[in-house]
Amino acid sequence: MRLSQQMEYGMDDIDRRLIAELQRDASASYATLAAAVGLSTASAHDRVRKLKERGIIRRTTVEVDPAALGRGVLSYVLIDANAWMGDASTGDALAALPEVEEAHIIAGAGTLLVKVRTATTQDLQGVLRRLYEVPGVASTQSIVVLETFFERPVSPTA
Amino acid sequence: MRLSQQMEYGMDDIDRRLIAELQRDASASYATLAAAVGLSTASAHDRVRKLKERGIIRRTTVEVDPAALGRGVLSYVLIDANAWMGDASTGDALAALPEVEEAHIIAGAGTLLVKVRTATTQDLQGVLRRLYEVPGVASTQSIVVLETFFERPVSPTA
DNA sequence: CTCATTGCCGAACTGTGTACGGCGATCTTA
DNA sequence: TAAGATCGCCGTACACAGTTCGGCAATGAG
């Protein structure tokens, strides 16, 4: 076992560059992908296959313009609870709301933090009403995003 | 011009189902993709190509396990400003920090909201120190995520 | 020193992406 | 109402890319 920077995932620098390329354009051919990292097509294919097998690459997906889907307004909602909300049932109840994109349990003042995308601020109002129907929700505090500088994938570079 | 639910993007139900399938697995073949929505291979190919041309599908990418990249700790940082931070230079300065995944200008109490991924909470400390070097940053308030219920793509369904 | 393991490569095969032409329906316009 | 244009859908064919296979060299273990 050799020394590792944080934990042993068996990732070397070529793997990180492969991930960076795939994050940029997962539709690129294995030939161009291999050329970008200085490997043969077969080797690049091997490495990407292993990254998927190990669960490091979870899936290949598409990034969509939220406004085109009627989700042009981004908000974050802090939730205070009057009961324990750490069980899976809470996650299921939040996942049932299609406008909720992320749901986290947090440390500090509040209890929950959810990321919400709606068409309008009126629709955010509707989501808040449905949030109050989730067991344990005592109060909410909404943060509406006026402008987004950037949203990008996890950086593979240290 | 027919009536639309929110704004005219020329999206019909088949387009939304195609997007949902691609979000689930963008590596699927056009044959299986077409079968999932009840179309021929050529038609599915046509629709996806147009969705990309119109910018509705921005890119195909991969979802990566953040922990494997040394980004196992997720935090949100609220920033209060003592100067105007709405210019692009602020966005550039934040984008220079690889741990910052999102940066937004928000309404309400604070001024900025950034999403940060680090290996440890000590590393979050380091990011905060560098955040204070960004012009305009007066104070910060960190929200550390203890557990994530889910993170998922934008829902194409109404 | 020998063996096992690992990562890399070239080449062949198979499947898929991609482009093309034609068909029918819908909407426009005269 | 009739004629034309536009749009979406489809089947087909070809070239390209994904995928697999066997072999080679380097590394590490026994």
Side-chain angles (χ1 to χ4, degrees):
Chain A
M1 173 133 117
R2 70 182 161 76
L3 66 142
S4 58
Q5 55 275 22
Q6 66 274 350
M7 199 174 295
E8 194 51 64
Y9 274 98
M11 297 265 306
D12 66 359
D13 194 60
I14 295 181
D15 285 329
R16 276 182 281 269
R17 283 198 290 165
L18 281 173
I19 288 174
E21 283 296 316
L22 288 174
Q23 284 176 331
R24 202 173 56 81
D25 180 14
S27 71
S29 76
Y30 279 98
T32 62
L33 190 64
V37 301
L39 246 59
S40 76
T41 305
S43 298
H45 190 327
D46 263 19
R47 280 180 177 260
V48 173
R49 183 179 49 78
K50 287 175 185 171
L51 285 171
K52 290 177 180 172
E53 280 177 4
R54 283 185 273 167
I56 295 177
I57 294 180
R58 288 181 173 156
R59 64 171 164 179
T60 80
T61 181
V62 288
E63 269 188 23
V64 181
D65 177 14
L69 265 44
R71 299 264 143 74
V73 176
L74 172 62
S75 315
Y76 287 89
V77 180
L78 286 160
I79 299 178
D80 270 306
N82 55 19
W84 174 242
M85 294 188 72
D87 294 331
S89 59
T90 301
D92 295 342
L94 294 172
L97 306 178
E99 295 90 349
V100 176
E101 201 172 305
E102 303 177 12
H104 309 280
I105 303 177
I106 60 174
T111 308
L112 255 55
L113 174 63
V114 298
K115 183 178 185 177
V116 176
R117 286 191 195 269
T118 54
T120 65
T121 48
Q122 283 84 2
D123 292 333
L124 172 60
Q125 177 86 347
V127 173
L128 291 176
R129 178 170 50 243
R130 279 176 285 158
L131 274 178
Y132 275 102
E133 295 171 5
V134 176
V137 174
S139 69
T140 66
Q141 180 189 344
S142 298
I143 298 168
V144 179
V145 170
L146 302 177
E147 185 189 338
T148 293
F149 280 123
F150 59 85
E151 288 180 282
R152 62 187 179 188
V154 189
S155 167
T157 64
Chain B
M1 170 135 124
R2 70 181 162 77
L3 65 142
S4 58
Q5 55 273 24
Q6 66 274 351
M7 199 175 296
E8 194 51 64
Y9 273 98
M11 297 264 307
D12 66 358
D13 194 61
I14 295 181
D15 284 329
R16 276 183 281 270
R17 283 199 289 164
L18 281 173
I19 288 175
E21 283 296 316
L22 288 174
Q23 284 176 330
R24 202 173 56 80
D25 181 14
S27 70
S29 76
Y30 279 98
T32 61
L33 189 63
V37 301
L39 244 60
S40 77
T41 305
S43 298
H45 189 292
D46 264 19
R47 280 181 176 259
V48 172
R49 183 179 48 79
K50 286 176 185 171
L51 286 171
K52 289 177 181 172
E53 278 177 4
R54 282 185 274 168
I56 296 177
I57 293 179
R58 288 180 174 159
R59 65 171 163 178
T60 80
T61 180
V62 288
E63 270 188 22
V64 181
D65 177 14
L69 264 46
R71 299 264 143 76
V73 176
L74 172 62
S75 315
Y76 288 89
V77 179
L78 286 158
I79 299 177
D80 270 307
N82 55 20
W84 174 241
M85 295 189 73
D87 294 331
S89 60
T90 301
D92 295 342
L94 294 172
L97 307 178
E99 295 90 349
V100 176
E101 201 170 308
E102 304 177 12
H104 311 279
I105 302 176
I106 60 174
T111 309
L112 255 55
L113 175 62
V114 299
K115 182 178 185 177
V116 176
R117 284 191 197 270
T118 53
T120 64
T121 48
Q122 282 85 2
D123 292 332
L124 172 60
Q125 178 86 346
V127 173
L128 291 176
R129 177 170 50 242
R130 278 177 285 158
L131 274 177
Y132 274 102
E133 294 171 4
V134 176
V137 174
S139 71
T140 65
Q141 181 189 345
S142 297
I143 299 168
V144 179
V145 170
L146 301 178
E147 186 189 338
T148 293
F149 280 123
F150 59 84
E151 287 179 283
R152 61 186 180 188
V154 189
S155 168
T157 64

